[in-house]
Amino acid sequence: MGPGVQGSERSAVTIGVFDGVHRGHQRVVERAVATARERGLRCVAVVFEPHPSEVVRPGSHPARLTTPRRRSELLTELGVDEVCVEEFTLELSRMSPGEFAQSMLADRLRAAVVVVGANFTFGHRAAGDTETLAALGEKYDFTVEVVPLHDGVSSTEIRERLVDGDVEGATADLGRPHRVEGVVVRGYQRGRQLGFPTANVETQPHTAIPADGVYAGWLECVPVANLPTVYEGERWPAAISVGTNPTFEGVPRTVEAYALDRDDLELYGVHVAVDFGARLRGNTRFDSIEELIAQIHADVDQARRLTSG
């Protein structure tokens, strides 16, 4: 297992996959942070990587709402002192609830309190629940706080919203716009030829990408180690296209973002984030380039209105 709390310092621990760090996750994490502050403890969030379902049932990895780096960033912003990334292995999946509580919570993290959501399960075949955890806490000297579920908010529900193109609904559940990240690579440069140069984002495996269509949102340069840092931290309103571009046949599915009114950006090789604010329309095949350009102008005007302010 990876590193944990150092020395004899005791901790307030919260555990989960935390994909998306959505409003339900935030409620649990904020309670863990508050408890840590009240009791003078260090707050530790234990997250699993890769997703447990991929280890237990290879090929079943759900679409990822946040990259591991972004997830750690969001947890830290909520006040967590340490994000402990735990490699999820078959060996770990086969631990009994008691073995997990002893080896991870008691011995390694020196938990004084464990804060989890009401639907928390753990151990081999999810045999342990919050009542199991509380009983084990009595044995291993930690208390348990159970946070009620945030009605209607779950990572699964957010993924379903994105499949439907409902990025506004995803924003409401996440508490911020859904973000897709990746490095800008060279595409077909058709946007540049049409007067709207786009950043073609090479997304990471398992990324949760909204349904094909055109969206209003934002394009931001995100500093990542070993990659160029030009425009670091800059953020621009954007018109975003997702899909295969039906006007041009044989094009693979892409995520492209045009920073509104900027034709001077050189973003190749830069790590960027695309935040989805609102869906403008589905993808349409146009009979002529002129019709396509006219629609792009309309899309850009609408994106400008929706992202202003």
Side-chain angles (χ1 to χ4, degrees):
M1 293 184 182
V5 174
Q6 300 300 310
S8 61
E9 185 177 10
R10 301 202 68 185
S11 61
V13 178
T14 186
I15 314 168
V17 177
F18 292 120
D19 186 26
V21 193
H22 56 60
R23 289 168 60 202
H25 295 147
Q26 291 165 31
R27 178 184 286 184
V28 175
V29 174
E30 287 167 353
R31 184 58 209 150
V33 170
T35 298
R37 301 295 177 263
E38 291 165 5
R39 299 178 57 172
L41 303 170
R42 183 171 178 79
C43 186
V44 179
V46 178
V47 299
F48 297 111
E49 190 65 33
H51 196 286
S53 66
E54 179 64 16
V55 174
V56 177
R57 297 178 298 278
S60 66
H61 198 303
R64 191 190 289 276
L65 298 173
T66 45
T67 64
R69 182 201 61 79
R70 176 64 168 163
R71 176 180 57 185
S72 293
E73 179 181 80
L74 291 167
L75 291 169
T76 301
E77 288 175 359
L78 290 171
V80 168
D81 297 304
E82 179 183 353
V83 179
C84 180
V85 181
E86 181 68 25
E87 181 183 4
F88 196 88
T89 62
L90 278 174
E91 179 185 17
L92 181 59
S93 75
R94 290 167 180 160
M95 277 188 176
S96 69
E99 290 170 331
F100 181 85
Q102 180 180 17
S103 63
M104 171 72 79
L105 300 176
D107 294 347
R108 213 179 96 207
L109 297 176
R110 292 190 51 78
V113 58
V114 179
V115 182
V116 294
N119 62 344
F120 178 73
T121 58
F122 68 111
H124 186 51
R125 297 187 183 276
D129 57 15
T130 56
E131 291 185 4
T132 311
L133 187 63
L136 289 166
E138 293 181 7
K139 180 177 180 179
Y140 294 112
D141 191 29
F142 59 79
T143 59
V144 174
E145 288 193 33
V146 179
V147 179
L149 297 179
H150 196 304
D151 291 342
V153 177
S154 71
S155 297
T156 299
E157 175 68 23
I158 295 168
R159 293 186 191 103
E160 291 172 355
R161 289 186 184 279
L162 294 173
V163 167
D164 293 336
D166 180 14
V167 296
E168 293 95 336
T171 294
D173 287 350
L174 289 166
R176 64 184 183 281
H178 174 61
R179 170 170 289 194
V180 167
E181 295 188 41
V183 175
V184 177
V185 297
R186 292 189 181 275
Y188 293 92
Q189 298 190 315
R190 290 198 175 102
R192 185 175 297 275
Q193 295 165 9
L194 297 174
F196 302 92
T198 59
N200 187 356
V201 184
E202 185 175 63
T203 57
Q204 298 182 14
H206 308 300
T207 294
I209 299 174
D212 289 2
V214 178
Y215 298 82
W218 296 268
L219 175 66
E220 180 177 343
C221 290
V222 178
V224 172
N226 302 320
L227 288 175
T229 56
V230 294
Y231 313 112
E232 183 174 333
E234 291 196 47
R235 179 177 172 88
W236 307 281
I240 306 157
S241 174
V242 176
T244 58
N245 197 336
T247 302
F248 301 98
E249 295 181 359
V251 178
R253 193 165 192 252
T254 60
V255 176
E256 299 180 72
Y258 165 61
L260 302 186
D261 307 313
R262 296 296 300 265
D263 59 6
D264 58 332
L265 301 177
E266 294 295 338
L267 294 172
Y268 293 123
V270 175
H271 189 95
V272 299
V274 177
D275 288 342
F276 290 82
R279 191 167 196 249
L280 305 183
R281 61 178 176 87
N283 281 350
T284 304
R285 181 181 177 87
F286 294 93
D287 294 330
S288 69
I289 298 300
E290 290 74 21
E291 287 184 24
L292 172 61
I293 292 174
Q295 182 61 60
I296 293 175
H297 276 289
D299 294 336
V300 167
D301 288 343
Q302 189 175 0
R304 185 179 293 109
R305 289 194 300 271
L306 291 171
T307 57
S308 62

